[in-house]
Amino acid sequence: MESKRFEIETHTLFSKSLIWQLNRDYFNAQGVDAWRKGVVPHQLTSNSMVGKTYAELIFAFLKDLADKGQVLEKVYILELGAGHGRLAFHILKHLERLKEQENVVVPPCCYILSDIVEENLKFFYSHPQFQVYYKKGILDVAYFDAIEGKEILLRHSGLKILPKDLKQPLLAIANYFFDSIPSDLFYFKDKKISNCFVTLETSEDPKEMDAELLLKKIDFNFQTAPAAYPIYQDTILNEILEDYRELVFDTYLFFPHKGLQCLQNLKQLSQQGLMVISMDKGFHEIHDLENTKIPEMITHGSMSFWVNYHAFGTYCKKLGGTSLLPSSSNFHLELACLMLLPDSESFTKTKIAYERFVNDFGPDDFNGLKRFTYKHLAKMELLEIINMLRLSSYDSSLFVNVLPQLKQVSQHISFNERTRLAQTMHKTWDMYFTLYEYEDLAFEIGGMFYALGFYEEALDYFQFSINLYGHTPDEYYNRILCYYQLRKDALFLKTLEAAITSFPDYKKFDYLKNLDLTAV
Ligand SMILES: C[S@@+](CC[C@H](N)C(=O)[O-])C[C@H]1O[C@@H](n2cnc3c(N)ncnc32)[C@H](O)[C@@H]1O
């Protein structure tokens, strides 16, 4: 018997399909929970090491502008679809540090966190770790739809950026972004271009489903039909497609029409052009775009597809700009610098930074080492784990993942190793940006300090935990033990009383009541 099918959409042009609206609906409905609950992954693309890589590129770009004498006007750094804000935090931390270390004159800059989800913008604006940057005037927040947006209203400063307003190039960041906005899809065969259409179906009644469930349950059927010419109004886009017609055969190919339109709109905001730094799963080499079968939608709460950086790079060149793309093969975490700037070849410091921080060893390589670490974690020794944490620029998500092994290997360690581990934990905390997620990093670090016999430090971290999550019985229990170890009897008794009042049913407090305060 044939099972019932529910057709949601019939023969719709891929870029106009309902899936893109469902994606937007998903982000709107979830807000920061999308990342807080670990549904949409972000550790790969928004960790501290990635933030450092971006900061190195941005700093080099600022130095290039300074070399051209452009030191007075502010440079705006617009992050598109910033989502959770964690990448911005990492970038700002590393950038501030680089500026302090080098102490060279560079133009002032202001980082703009943007998104289309109001809840995310509120989260950015009220986040305690961002307040210092708002006060310094180096951070702002804006609603910005990257597909339609042609002006930016900054919510903190009140400034409105209109076309041609900026006297410095605009620097845009598109991290894990271009895969989330509508893309065109073509089928190339025998030097002919076809449009791709989709029919969407589910086996269960879609009326009962929200965006997240629908995205999970949808089945695609692809159809193709010969494209009518001209395909686009913009002749450059048609030229790129014509090139593909000659270069590829029998392949499905994503074409980032909306992404390129976004670049055009952003470029209009400045008298000096645009540089985009973008990272995503994608391809930039033509051979990777060959013989691609019907694309698979990747769902992880939201959905995404691979990004065609080759098209972004070609577009840049055709407009007289420069694109920096990985020189060696990689495992497809691509980091691109798209420079639509007057005389973009003269941005030598940016190019050198790209060589060092992407081509020599970059986020894609680091990700490989991270996978290796997880595979061999059970055999890793303390210093090896610390080495990895240092390489990650003290990334907190890596720390949380290696913590079980760290606890194992730190049971019997020397004084020097304890000190090194303590330094590592302080630095990891310094790089941590809270999403108020389930894992309480401060509490975990506090526990590690307690186990190492650093009771004052443990107390500091238990306090950080209280600041973020409020009082819990476990936090009380551990703090009281610290007071006991430090022989702070008055605090011991006072805190125990408060703990019992707040959590009268917590049995472990009985053990504390029986501790001997006179023991030597
Ligand atoms: C996959 S998430 C990436 C979040 C973050 N950039 C990261 O690296 O993890 C995509 C983000 O883009 C936002 N977004 C989706 N469509 C957008 C659009 N048209 N303009 C601006 N932001 C958009 C979503 O709200 C979401 O925050």
Side-chain angles (χ1 to χ4, degrees):
M1 198 181 78
E2 243 183 55
S3 59
K4 189 164 178 195
R5 308 288 296 168
F6 296 84
E7 200 164 280
I8 308 171
E9 184 173 67
T10 314
H11 198 71
T12 307
L13 202 59
F14 181 72
S15 60
K16 300 245 181 318
S17 167
L18 177 73
I19 51 166
W20 302 107
Q21 185 57 43
L22 287 175
N23 216 31
R24 270 179 95 110
D25 292 348
Y26 171 79
F27 285 116
N28 261 306
Q30 295 298 314
V32 180
D33 271 353
W35 300 278
R36 183 185 290 132
K37 294 184 177 165
V39 187
V40 180
H42 71 289
Q43 277 99 349
L44 187 70
T45 45
S46 290
N47 58 52
S48 177
M49 192 270 179
V50 169
K52 182 165 183 283
T53 308
Y54 274 91
E56 292 284 3
L57 293 168
I58 294 169
F59 191 46
F61 182 70
L62 296 177
K63 286 192 284 186
D64 272 329
L65 291 174
D67 287 350
K68 293 171 191 293
Q70 296 173 222
V71 286
L72 296 180
E73 296 287 341
K74 207 174 252 187
V75 175
Y76 285 92
I77 305 168
L78 173 70
E79 185 179 349
L80 305 167
H84 39 77
R86 200 166 243 175
L87 179 69
F89 177 78
H90 288 140
I91 293 176
L92 287 167
K93 286 284 277 192
H94 287 295
L95 191 58
E96 290 278 280
R97 190 160 160 255
L98 287 172
K99 282 187 190 170
E100 264 169 43
Q101 282 172 345
E102 276 203 37
N103 199 19
V104 286
V105 177
V106 290
C109 53
C110 177
Y111 196 106
I112 309 166
L113 283 154
S114 78
D115 210 292
I116 48 162
V117 176
E118 275 301 329
E119 196 207 303
N120 299 359
L121 300 181
K122 281 192 198 126
F123 178 77
F124 304 150
Y125 206 49
S126 59
H127 200 290
Q129 287 174 279
F130 278 149
Q131 299 312 310
V132 56
Y133 300 118
Y134 294 125
K135 279 201 194 99
K136 282 191 196 170
I138 59 173
L139 183 63
D140 219 310
V141 168
Y143 179 95
F144 188 75
D145 185 328
I147 298 172
E148 305 300 336
K150 297 204 167 112
E151 55 185 49
I152 311 171
L153 174 62
L154 304 184
R155 292 193 176 176
H156 184 63
S157 68
L159 186 85
K160 195 175 203 176
I161 302 173
L162 297 168
K164 294 279 168 265
D165 267 1
L166 301 179
K167 297 191 176 60
Q168 294 275 26
L170 175 66
L171 209 169
I173 290 178
N175 193 61
Y176 194 179
F177 177 74
F178 286 128
D179 67 345
S180 308
I181 59 169
S183 167
D184 288 357
L185 181 65
F186 295 104
Y187 179 54
F188 289 80
K189 188 161 178 149
D190 301 333
K191 302 213 182 245
K192 290 198 183 79
I193 308 179
S194 297
N195 282 314
C196 291
F197 299 83
V198 282
T199 297
L200 306 180
E201 289 182 344
T202 51
S203 55
E204 293 160 43
D205 191 348
K207 278 197 216 98
E208 309 300 320
M209 298 185 207
D210 62 9
E212 182 176 6
L213 196 58
L214 254 178
L215 284 171
K216 232 186 254 165
K217 298 274 178 177
I218 274 173
D219 294 322
F220 278 89
N221 279 310
F222 283 90
Q223 305 92 43
T224 59
Y229 290 85
I231 296 178
Y232 294 116
Q233 312 257 300
D234 184 338
T235 49
I236 294 186
L237 302 190
N238 289 327
E239 275 174 35
I240 302 175
L241 283 185
E242 273 306 296
D243 292 347
Y244 282 140
R245 206 164 62 81
E246 293 298 323
L247 288 170
V248 297
F249 62 95
D250 197 8
T251 199
Y252 285 87
L253 187 137
F254 287 113
F255 193 76
H257 176 205
K258 293 287 177 199
L260 297 174
Q261 188 180 310
C262 165
L263 259 53
Q264 268 301 352
N265 290 342
L266 293 176
K267 186 169 168 277
Q268 293 307 318
L269 291 169
S270 164
Q271 300 164 16
Q272 293 291 324
L274 167 77
M275 177 163 101
V276 181
I277 313 179
S278 177
M279 197 171 83
D280 225 312
K281 307 172 305 308
F283 302 107
H284 72 277
E285 288 180 302
I286 194 77
H287 62 82
D288 283 324
L289 300 171
E290 283 270 47
N291 292 316
T292 306
K293 306 283 168 246
I294 287 178
E296 260 181 61
M297 180 171 83
I298 307 158
T299 38
H300 30 55
S302 59
M303 60 97 198
S304 59
F305 294 96
W306 294 74
V307 175
N308 178 354
Y309 279 112
H310 182 275
F312 278 105
T314 313
Y315 182 74
C316 251
K317 270 193 214 123
K318 287 197 183 268
L319 285 187
T322 304
S323 59
L324 307 178
L325 292 158
S327 61
S328 52
S329 64
N330 57 50
F331 298 101
H332 307 310
L333 188 60
E334 301 256 317
L335 200 161
C337 273
L338 307 168
M339 304 165 93
L340 289 166
L341 301 159
D343 199 13
S344 57
E345 285 298 326
S346 67
F347 282 72
T348 44
K349 292 199 163 84
T350 309
K351 286 200 252 168
I352 293 168
Y354 188 85
E355 278 305 307
R356 288 186 55 200
F357 300 105
V358 181
N359 277 338
D360 287 353
F361 183 89
D364 187 55
D365 307 285
F366 171 66
N367 188 43
L369 286 184
K370 220 160 71 165
R371 276 205 299 266
F372 178 88
T373 301
Y374 295 149
K375 203 161 142 193
H376 301 283
L377 187 59
K379 288 191 191 140
M380 283 177 76
E381 292 171 11
L382 179 71
L383 287 188
E384 293 163 351
I385 298 176
I386 291 179
N387 293 153
M388 256 324 273
L389 286 166
R390 281 166 57 75
L391 194 61
S392 78
S393 298
Y394 301 100
D395 184 60
S396 58
S397 63
L398 177 66
F399 181 86
V400 169
N401 290 334
V402 298
L403 189 59
Q405 178 67 1
L406 208 48
K407 284 181 182 166
Q408 287 292 322
V409 293
S410 58
Q411 281 171 12
H412 306 286
I413 57 176
S414 67
F415 178 77
N416 279 349
E417 288 170 330
R418 277 170 77 221
T419 311
R420 185 93 187 261
L421 180 53
Q423 286 166 347
T424 306
M425 292 194 293
H426 285 312
K427 290 194 173 190
T428 305
W429 178 250
D430 186 48
M431 283 315 301
Y432 173 64
F433 180 76
T434 185
L435 300 184
Y436 303 91
E437 57 271 73
Y438 173 74
E439 298 94 15
D440 181 348
L441 181 70
F443 184 79
E444 294 293 349
I445 296 181
M448 286 291 288
F449 272 118
Y450 183 90
L452 294 175
F454 291 116
Y455 304 116
E456 294 287 3
E457 285 81 353
L459 280 171
D460 288 343
Y461 281 87
F462 292 136
Q463 186 56 49
F464 297 148
S465 163
I466 299 168
N467 297 348
L468 292 178
Y469 297 95
H471 287 289
T472 64
D474 286 340
E475 152 275 307
Y476 266 124
Y477 182 82
N478 284 290
R479 257 183 332 124
I480 295 163
L481 280 177
C482 288
Y483 293 136
Y484 179 72
Q485 299 289 355
L486 291 165
R487 292 294 185 262
K488 293 191 173 179
D489 294 352
L491 276 170
F492 174 93
L493 292 168
K494 192 171 148 210
T495 314
L496 182 56
E497 196 185 324
I500 294 168
T501 311
S502 302
F503 301 98
D505 301 329
Y506 191 69
K507 292 278 169 277
K508 277 164 80 180
F509 292 148
D510 291 344
Y511 165 76
L512 300 176
K513 278 193 240 165
N514 295 328
L515 285 176
D516 179 4
L517 292 187
T518 60
V520 189

